[in-house]
Amino acid sequence: MTEHTDDTDDTIEGHERELSAVREEHDDADDDVSLSLPGLSVDRRDFMKAGAAVGAATASAGCLDALSGGGSADQETASGGAKNHKVAPGELDDYYAFLSGGHSGEIRVMGVPSMRELLRIPVFTPEPASGYGYDDRTSEMLEEEGGGYSWGDTHHPRVSQTDNDYDGRWAFVNDKANGRMARIDLEYFETDAIVDIPNQQGTHGACCLLPDTKYVFGVGEFRVPMQNDGRDLDDPEAYTSTIAAINPETMNVEWEVEVDGNMDNGDGGKDGRWFFTTGYNSEHATTESGMTKADRDWVKAFDVPAIEAAVENGDYEEINGVPVVDGTRESSLNQSDRPIVRYVPTPKSPHGVSVTPDGDYAIASGKLDPTCTVIDVEKLAEADDPADAIVGRPRVGMGPLHTAYDGRGHAYTTLFIDSQVAKWDIEAAVEAEAGSEDPIVEKIDVHYNPGHLIASESYTADPEGDYLISLNKLSKDRFLNVGPLKPENDQLIYIGDDEEGMQLVKDKPSYAEPHDASIVSADKIEPADVYDPSDYDAEFVAEGDESIERIDDSTVHVKTYVKRNEYAFPEIRVQEGDEVRITASNVEETSDITHGMAIPEYDVDLALAPQDTREVTFTADEPGVYWVYCSYFCSALHLEMRSRLIVEPSE
């Protein structure tokens, strides 16, 4: 076993020093009853000093009850105890987990509880194995609809819902890097639409307005001038950030709302009225020191019907083709009896926000404060002062970031500095005094520095409450060393037994740099085994329908089928300078028989699943012989599955 290295402690202590120093600058700030800030204590936990050598090397060290002082669980408990979490060969998982792929610009699909990676869905970047970005349809989606960026950074996968339950229709994910939103068709597990959101930089959140996914919201993080066309370059007070309401059917941006401060994460209420975002930089600064001066920031609560009424009444400015509603604090739309945005004061730089399954509370995590802020959604609608809607602030630990739910009244919050997940009782937090630790049920150590977490079906009104994934930023010595760029660590925790407590089940290394996930019951998604040709605009080319047609002096259209060992044409002959359009269909009807059509010299790379049709257009500008070959191993005669593209010289 690899021993725990000293730099693990150094790294985590560095995070603690940095964040606690920021917080201590404001310890003597004025507090009121509803927003008193408990003091911080940055004590090193015993397991991180003395027990880390064992804790980092074995999964059993992950089950430490921080409240009772209990030691690490034995191997039987760490592997699940009476609950069998294994998925044997040939058996299927209970859940799909959709995880962000970070800088790869993809969605990673895993099975739970096996934690086996099933698929990678390319979203914002081309991907050769699936031919994504190499055929006409997907390359046009990336280049024209998607803005033509060379990379993306996926953060928050969210699955569509009907009546506050997953409907298996779509998944949505944001591009933090370039201000985009994408839609994934869950029948075919492929990206089918991308929108480049106007007036927004750094789309950090991606959340649905429930109960029926009326909108998908893109939460803009970075503040920029409105319009960002060279005006107000040196006047940060004139910068704003926006949320964008996207129609899930058309993927058009219906309207946007500009607000004060930067925004971070978001989540929708359960009844169609409220959408919540966290935010930081209420100071409207442009540097770290400036962004952390004030002792309060805001959770922003967007009253969606009130915003829709403002748009209908023409109370907006059209910017880059989108109605932009003024939701800043001084806006006239926020001075009425029904403000369109309510600014709920919270301790400095809240990070995650999520709505409880019953829709009663929105809970924001403190990040630079050891508490979570519990907002009563019903009181928010009635209170003259939004601060009066704050009904609880339990002290959960150092560096709270994100919160998920089990449907039994418990919340689970990641503690970035403490390297733990805290389980706490929501109603007990409402009843307790602000800053109380009494609502905490237990804590479990994770390895290390967790960011997001997700429990099974946590975003619905009826979570399953059996599994939780903690997405940890550091793995350090949990896995074999692979050089300076270490894998991150996704850890599966069983939370289905409140008496036995949380149990660490599995570690899974993850390539940098994922963020968030959604876990959906497998029976709520019905993927297709083969493609339905009627779902695409391209013409399906059946056997007998193949043709090579010269459209005009410089255009050739090739219609071909592919099947095991065979392309329709042993050769395709064109002239130098011709624009060549290839329509290719896989006529196989048996699932799992994928064929490729690759012409590398012309950057052609089509992946053709059964009954699929793809089209590609290129200019044959170099005379010569170019082999067309199948890039998927499909049969014993796979290597003999060839055709020739012959480009004849123009003279």
Side-chain angles (χ1 to χ4, degrees), residues 47 51 54-55 58-65 69-75 77-78 445 447:
F47 100 100
V54 176
T58 66
S60 61
C63 301
L64 181 146
D65 186 336
S72 61
D74 59 26
Q75 187 62 39
T77 303
D445 299 326
H447 304 86

Side-chain angles (χ1 to χ4, degrees), residues 527-570:
D529 282 329
V530 300
Y531 281 88
D532 183 345
S534 66
D535 285 339
Y536 294 95
D537 295 334
E539 175 188 355
F540 185 83
V541 182
E543 292 186 73
D545 293 336
E546 65 276 11
S547 65
I548 301 177
E549 180 182 2
R550 177 163 290 279
I551 305 301
D552 54 37
D553 290 344
S554 61
T555 308
V556 175
H557 189 184
V558 179
K559 298 179 182 180
T560 183
Y561 64 81
V562 300
K563 65 179 183 179
R564 269 166 282 192
N565 314 330
E566 182 181 332
Y567 291 110
F569 299 106

Side-chain angles (χ1 to χ4, degrees), residues 95 356-358 404-412 423-428 441-442 455-458 460-468 493-503:
Y95 300 97
T356 56
D358 55 17
Y405 309 103
D406 63 11
R408 301 186 299 273
H410 301 123
Y412 299 77
K423 175 181 178 180
W424 51 281
D425 187 295
I426 299 169
E427 290 300 334
V441 176
E442 65 171 319
S456 49
E457 307 221 321
S458 177
T460 71
D462 188 21
E464 292 290 340
D466 48 3
Y467 288 107
L468 179 150
I493 299 169
Y494 181 64
I495 59 172
D497 191 329
D498 290 330
E499 292 186 3
E500 291 294 327
M502 294 184 282
Q503 302 163 30

Side-chain angles (χ1 to χ4, degrees), residues 265-526:
N265 287 272
D267 196 18
K270 306 298 185 185
D271 63 357
R273 177 172 180 180
W274 295 103
F275 182 75
F276 298 91
T277 71
T278 50
Y280 63 100
N281 191 24
S282 56
E283 303 89 343
H284 295 171
T286 58
T287 64
E288 178 187 2
S289 59
M291 294 180 189
T292 55
K293 284 184 177 179
D295 205 53
R296 299 288 186 274
D297 283 298
W298 302 296
V299 166
K300 301 176 182 75
F302 296 84
D303 189 332
V304 175
I307 296 167
E308 291 174 323
V311 173
E312 186 175 347
N313 293 334
D315 294 329
Y316 62 83
E317 179 183 2
E318 185 170 308
I319 304 176
N320 294 317
V322 176
V324 179
V325 180
D326 185 357
T328 59
R329 298 183 75 197
E330 300 303 320
S331 168
S332 61
L333 295 173
N334 279 331
Q335 310 308 313
S336 66
D337 293 337
R338 187 168 177 177
I340 64 169
V341 183
R342 307 218 75 184
Y343 287 74
V344 185
T346 57
K348 176 189 299 297
S349 297
H351 188 54
V353 62
S354 55
V355 176
T356 56
D358 55 17
D360 289 348
Y361 306 109
I363 298 176
S365 301
K367 190 169 77 170
L368 301 185
D369 182 271
T371 67
C372 287
T373 298
V374 183
I375 301 168
D376 188 306
V377 175
E378 185 175 351
K379 286 186 177 181
L380 181 65
E382 302 168 351
D384 293 331
D385 182 350
D388 293 340
I390 297 174
V391 295
R393 287 203 305 105
R395 183 188 178 100
V396 294
M398 291 294 294
L401 292 186
H402 295 280
T403 300
Y405 309 103
D406 63 11
R408 301 186 299 273
H410 301 123
Y412 299 77
T413 300
T414 50
L415 305 177
F416 181 80
I417 296 175
D418 284 341
S419 289
Q420 292 182 317
V421 172
K423 175 181 178 180
W424 51 281
D425 187 295
I426 299 169
E427 290 300 334
V430 172
E431 296 171 2
E433 293 184 1
S436 172
E437 295 183 359
D438 291 345
I440 308 301
V441 176
E442 65 171 319
K443 296 181 180 180
I444 186 171
D445 299 326
V446 293
H447 304 86
Y448 302 91
N449 297 97
H452 280 275
L453 81 170
I454 183 63
S456 49
E457 307 221 321
S458 177
Y459 293 115
T460 71
D462 188 21
E464 292 290 340
D466 48 3
Y467 288 107
L468 179 150
I469 298 175
S470 177
L471 294 96
N472 309 316
K473 293 303 179 185
L474 302 181
S475 64
K476 304 301 288 185
D477 43 19
R478 299 291 287 182
F479 309 112
L480 284 173
N481 191 354
V482 290
L485 185 60
K486 313 296 184 192
E488 299 193 10
N489 186 11
D490 300 337
Q491 290 188 303
L492 183 69
I493 299 169
Y494 181 64
I495 59 172
D497 191 329
D498 290 330
E499 292 186 3
E500 291 294 327
M502 294 184 282
Q503 302 163 30
L504 179 62
V505 177
K506 289 172 182 156
D507 283 353
K508 176 191 173 296
S510 182
Y511 185 66
E513 195 243 353
H515 287 265
D516 198 5
S518 290
I519 301 177
V520 183
S521 292
D523 59 7
K524 293 179 182 176
I525 298 178
E526 298 181 2

Side-chain angles (χ1 to χ4, degrees), residues 7 76 150 225 256 430 523 556 635-636 639:
D7 62 342
E76 180 181 358
S150 63
E256 296 178 349
V430 172
D523 59 7
V556 175
S635 70
L639 293 180

